Amino acid sequence: MAQGRHPVCRIVFGLLIGLIVLLPFRAMARPLIIEGLSEAPLKWQDNGKIRGIDIDIMKAVLAEMHITEFEFRLVPSGNRLLYNARVGESDIVLSLSQSTERQEFLYYPNEAHLLLDWRFAIRKEDRNRISFNDFNDLANLHIGAAAGFSYTPAFWNSGLNIETVAKNNLLIPMLLRGRFDTVPLNYMTSLYEAREEGIADKLVFLYPPIRQAAYYNVWSKASTYGGKQDFQKRYDAIIRKLQHDGTIAAIIENYLGPLNDPNRHYSQ
């Protein structure tokens, strides 16, 4: 009887060995952890749900890669964001500009998904009076700026009539009240906030920007995510596809309205 059961025992034993071999791999399977700082309209929590332009672009990338297990997290500070990436507690960090220091522990793709900039804003009724090509065009104007904001060294060294205020969110109300002739603002964030407050039609953003930078979705070099290398190999081509087929533009339009301004350049 023992000999008759021997083949069955071998089968059971083989199945047990297979389970033991597979267990470590199953234990390694986990969601892709994607982190960022809260800043509408790029990413923020709305009624318990994380949403925004960055979120929707990354979801489009993940759909192209057929990745369904992922988790978005918002962290309270830039220091915490970079620490988590440095030690591998996160896999991807959303929307960072290029930095030699950060390249030591982050992998930057070739393709930027967004171009973010700072532009001078004026009242709509002044659009035929005020234009900007260089700082000389603003020589006779009263300009507001937020204390502690870097803008650019050229701005602060321009010799313009600049008055600082304590908080950035004071600039648009003071501009609309006529306290200032123009103010420098983060274009995308300010346009979104103005639309939410119903005052976007009272503002004009001047072009060219005083500062523009490409922003990237970057990988933690310390990440242990199993599909990391395949993701990195495919990412640039997918971002180019989403740019060329209008997906990224449609996502931005969903938050900022129609892109009917030829000077709105949001991606490469």
Side-chain angles (χ1 to χ4, degrees), residues 79-134:
N79 287 338
R80 171 55 62 176
L81 184 74
L82 296 178
Y83 173 82
N84 288 352
R86 185 185 292 273
V87 301
E89 289 187 11
S90 64
D91 302 306
I92 295 175
V93 179
L94 296 172
S95 280
L96 288 184
S97 59
Q98 284 277 12
S99 164
T100 302
E101 179 182 350
R102 292 196 291 260
Q103 286 177 347
E104 294 178 4
F105 60 95
L106 296 173
Y107 170 83
Y108 279 79
N110 293 320
E111 293 293 328
H113 65 292
L114 288 176
L115 293 174
L116 302 182
D117 58 39
W118 290 76
R119 303 188 189 186
F120 285 109
I122 60 173
R123 293 179 295 275
K124 187 175 183 179
E125 59 265 30
D126 288 333
R127 64 184 182 275
N128 294 324
R129 181 175 73 89
I130 301 174
S131 61
F132 174 70
N133 289 294
D134 59 48

Side-chain angles (χ1 to χ4, degrees), residues 215-230:
Y215 280 75
Y216 302 81
N217 294 321
V218 300
W219 269 89
S220 161
K221 291 184 178 180
S223 165
T224 59
Y225 183 73
K228 176 179 176 179
Q229 291 184 343
D230 182 60

Side-chain angles (χ1 to χ4, degrees), residues 129-162:
R129 181 175 73 89
I130 301 174
S131 61
F132 174 70
N133 289 294
D134 59 48
F135 291 123
N136 291 329
D137 296 328
L138 310 179
N140 298 317
L141 303 180
H142 190 195
I143 301 168
F149 276 60
S150 59
Y151 302 115
T152 66
F155 171 73
W156 290 115
N157 297 326
S158 63
L160 295 172
N161 179 20
I162 300 171

Side-chain angles (χ1 to χ4, degrees), residues 11-21:
I11 293 172
V12 173
F13 181 75
L15 290 172
L16 289 173
I17 293 298
L19 286 173
I20 292 172
V21 170

Side-chain angles (χ1 to χ4, degrees), residues 8-74:
V8 176
C9 291
R10 286 204 303 264
I11 293 172
V12 173
F13 181 75
L15 290 172
L16 289 173
I17 293 298
L19 286 173
I20 292 172
V21 170
L22 287 173
L23 278 175
F25 292 96
R26 291 182 177 178
M28 288 177 60
R30 62 170 178 80
L32 181 66
I33 305 300
I34 306 164
E35 292 191 339
L37 296 175
S38 179
E39 183 182 19
L42 297 179
K43 46 203 173 298
W44 80 102
Q45 192 165 53
D46 183 21
N47 294 322
K49 181 181 178 181
I50 298 176
R51 60 188 295 251
I53 292 170
D54 278 345
I55 304 300
D56 292 350
I57 292 174
M58 182 54 69
K59 284 182 176 178
V61 171
L62 296 173
E64 290 282 335
M65 295 192 185
H66 305 290
I67 296 174
T68 58
E69 297 295 323
F70 53 86
E71 179 181 350
F72 290 106
R73 297 176 180 173
L74 297 178

